[in-house]
PDB file of all heavy atoms in Angstrom:
ATOM      1  N   PRO A  46     -15.745  21.355  -5.653  1.00  0.00           N
ATOM      2  CA  PRO A  46     -16.405  20.076  -5.600  1.00  0.00           C
ATOM      3  C   PRO A  46     -16.831  19.490  -7.034  1.00  0.00           C
ATOM      4  O   PRO A  46     -17.244  20.296  -7.957  1.00  0.00           O
ATOM      5  CB  PRO A  46     -17.673  20.293  -4.804  1.00  0.00           C
ATOM      6  CG  PRO A  46     -17.843  21.816  -4.822  1.00  0.00           C
ATOM      7  CD  PRO A  46     -16.461  22.376  -4.944  1.00  0.00           C
ATOM      8  N   ALA A  47     -16.733  18.168  -7.165  1.00  0.00           N
ATOM      9  CA  ALA A  47     -17.278  17.516  -8.321  1.00  0.00           C
ATOM     10  C   ALA A  47     -18.800  17.639  -8.339  1.00  0.00           C
ATOM     11  O   ALA A  47     -19.435  17.895  -7.281  1.00  0.00           O
ATOM     12  CB  ALA A  47     -16.849  16.056  -8.326  1.00  0.00           C
ATOM     13  N   HIS A  48     -19.351  17.458  -9.511  1.00  0.00           N
ATOM     14  CA  HIS A  48     -20.869  17.546  -9.605  1.00  0.00           C
ATOM     15  C   HIS A  48     -21.449  16.392  -8.778  1.00  0.00           C
ATOM     16  O   HIS A  48     -20.880  15.273  -8.718  1.00  0.00           O
ATOM     17  CB  HIS A  48     -21.286  17.439 -11.033  1.00  0.00           C
ATOM     18  CG  HIS A  48     -22.744  17.812 -11.282  1.00  0.00           C
ATOM     19  ND1 HIS A  48     -23.764  16.954 -11.045  1.00  0.00           N
ATOM     20  CD2 HIS A  48     -23.206  18.985 -11.659  1.00  0.00           C
ATOM     21  CE1 HIS A  48     -24.916  17.574 -11.339  1.00  0.00           C
ATOM     22  NE2 HIS A  48     -24.638  18.785 -11.750  1.00  0.00           N
ATOM     23  N   SER A  49     -22.506  16.695  -8.119  1.00  0.00           N
ATOM     24  CA  SER A  49     -23.159  15.706  -7.235  1.00  0.00           C
ATOM     25  C   SER A  49     -23.566  14.375  -7.874  1.00  0.00           C
ATOM     26  O   SER A  49     -23.749  13.375  -7.244  1.00  0.00           O
ATOM     27  CB  SER A  49     -24.329  16.333  -6.507  1.00  0.00           C
ATOM     28  OG  SER A  49     -25.345  16.718  -7.437  1.00  0.00           O
ATOM     29  N   THR A  50     -23.685  14.378  -9.214  1.00  0.00           N
ATOM     30  CA  THR A  50     -24.088  13.189  -9.947  1.00  0.00           C
ATOM     31  C   THR A  50     -22.887  12.258 -10.230  1.00  0.00           C
ATOM     32  O   THR A  50     -23.042  11.207 -10.804  1.00  0.00           O
ATOM     33  CB  THR A  50     -24.818  13.493 -11.301  1.00  0.00           C
ATOM     34  OG1 THR A  50     -23.923  14.270 -12.065  1.00  0.00           O
ATOM     35  CG2 THR A  50     -26.109  14.305 -10.973  1.00  0.00           C
ATOM     36  N   ASN A  51     -21.685  12.718  -9.835  1.00  0.00           N
ATOM     37  CA  ASN A  51     -20.456  11.972 -10.207  1.00  0.00           C
ATOM     38  C   ASN A  51     -19.806  11.297  -8.999  1.00  0.00           C
ATOM     39  O   ASN A  51     -18.739  10.763  -9.089  1.00  0.00           O
ATOM     40  CB  ASN A  51     -19.456  12.888 -10.797  1.00  0.00           C
ATOM     41  CG  ASN A  51     -19.876  13.498 -12.163  1.00  0.00           C
ATOM     42  OD1 ASN A  51     -20.706  12.825 -12.828  1.00  0.00           O
ATOM     43  ND2 ASN A  51     -19.449  14.679 -12.466  1.00  0.00           N
ATOM     44  N   TYR A  52     -20.506  11.251  -7.912  1.00  0.00           N
ATOM     45  CA  TYR A  52     -19.944  10.496  -6.705  1.00  0.00           C
ATOM     46  C   TYR A  52     -21.195  10.155  -5.847  1.00  0.00           C
ATOM     47  O   TYR A  52     -22.323  10.637  -6.076  1.00  0.00           O
ATOM     48  CB  TYR A  52     -18.967  11.337  -5.942  1.00  0.00           C
ATOM     49  CG  TYR A  52     -19.526  12.586  -5.273  1.00  0.00           C
ATOM     50  CD1 TYR A  52     -20.061  12.606  -3.982  1.00  0.00           C
ATOM     51  CD2 TYR A  52     -19.584  13.822  -5.926  1.00  0.00           C
ATOM     52  CE1 TYR A  52     -20.533  13.736  -3.402  1.00  0.00           C
ATOM     53  CE2 TYR A  52     -20.023  14.980  -5.380  1.00  0.00           C
ATOM     54  CZ  TYR A  52     -20.574  14.915  -4.085  1.00  0.00           C
ATOM     55  OH  TYR A  52     -21.051  16.030  -3.524  1.00  0.00           O
ATOM     56  N   SER A  53     -20.928   9.290  -4.840  1.00  0.00           N
ATOM     57  CA  SER A  53     -22.063   8.890  -3.931  1.00  0.00           C
ATOM     58  C   SER A  53     -21.840   9.524  -2.553  1.00  0.00           C
ATOM     59  O   SER A  53     -20.865   9.356  -1.927  1.00  0.00           O
ATOM     60  CB  SER A  53     -21.990   7.355  -3.785  1.00  0.00           C
ATOM     61  OG  SER A  53     -22.145   6.687  -4.995  1.00  0.00           O
ATOM     62  N   SER A  54     -22.923  10.221  -2.157  1.00  0.00           N
ATOM     63  CA  SER A  54     -22.887  10.796  -0.786  1.00  0.00           C
ATOM     64  C   SER A  54     -22.897   9.733   0.246  1.00  0.00           C
ATOM     65  O   SER A  54     -23.611   8.730   0.110  1.00  0.00           O
ATOM     66  CB  SER A  54     -24.095  11.708  -0.610  1.00  0.00           C
ATOM     67  OG  SER A  54     -24.018  12.847  -1.440  1.00  0.00           O
TER      68      SER A  54
END
Side-chain angles (χ1 to χ4, degrees):
H48 196 277
S49 60
T50 60
N51 295 333
Y52 65 91
S53 300
S54 296

